[in-house]
Amino acid sequence: MGDASHHRPDDPGPSTFSAARARLAAAHAETLARAAALSRDFDGIVAANALIAVDDEHDPEGGTTAFERAHVASLMAQAREHLAELDRALERLERGEYGQCENCGTTIPPERLEIRPASTTCVRCAGSDPRRPPRTA
């Protein structure tokens, strides 16, 4: 784990591997902390509502509470998905495939990986993703 045998031939070497591993580990720790904080927030919302009889339909605060609960649940799901993306990026790193675009096979620019360490595509392929809505000027 972390030795030079896990690198692609065009990789600069172990320092690049170590830097990528550190970047992914930091992003993982940050996302894990965010997920834990969101979980505490969610538990707090649920606990606060358990203390009072909430009738979402007739209570003027009920809609707000339901929205807050749904919003935090959505953020928790996003954090879990990001953790899974980071785990997959670590697996790609170990296999020597980290930093290669999964669509066209070109090298993903280091600047992109700095900003989005779990990136699986280069900028060109990410821009042509049919799942993304077209940009408006």
Side-chain angles (χ1 to χ4, degrees):
M1 187 193 272
D3 66 32
S5 65
H6 290 286
H7 299 290
R8 294 188 327 256
D10 60 338
D11 278 347
S15 64
T16 301
F17 181 87
S18 296
R21 176 173 272 301
R23 187 171 43 250
L24 289 166
H28 193 278
E30 178 183 310
T31 304
L32 201 56
R34 184 173 58 238
L38 288 166
S39 181
R40 288 189 299 274
D41 289 349
F42 187 83
D43 291 346
I45 292 168
V46 170
N49 286 331
L51 299 175
I52 56 174
V54 176
D55 177 0
D56 285 357
E57 187 176 330
H58 298 99
D59 182 1
E61 294 298 316
T64 302
T65 302
F67 172 80
E68 287 175 9
R69 192 173 50 237
H71 181 71
V72 171
S74 175
L75 292 173
M76 286 170 48
Q78 287 175 359
R80 282 191 300 272
E81 176 57 30
H82 190 59
L83 284 171
E85 290 171 355
L86 291 165
D87 288 341
R88 289 189 296 269
L90 280 167
E91 291 168 6
R92 287 192 309 278
L93 182 66
E94 292 298 323
R95 290 191 311 260
E97 299 169 1
Y98 182 74
Q100 287 178 271
C101 179
E102 66 181 12
N103 291 337
C104 69
T106 62
T107 300
I108 298 172
E111 299 82 11
R112 178 167 172 76
L113 294 172
E114 274 290 324
I115 296 168
R116 299 182 55 98
S119 292
T120 59
T121 57
C122 65
V123 175
R124 186 175 46 103
C125 288
S128 65
D129 186 349
R131 296 172 293 178
R132 291 179 48 143
R135 286 187 164 184
T136 56

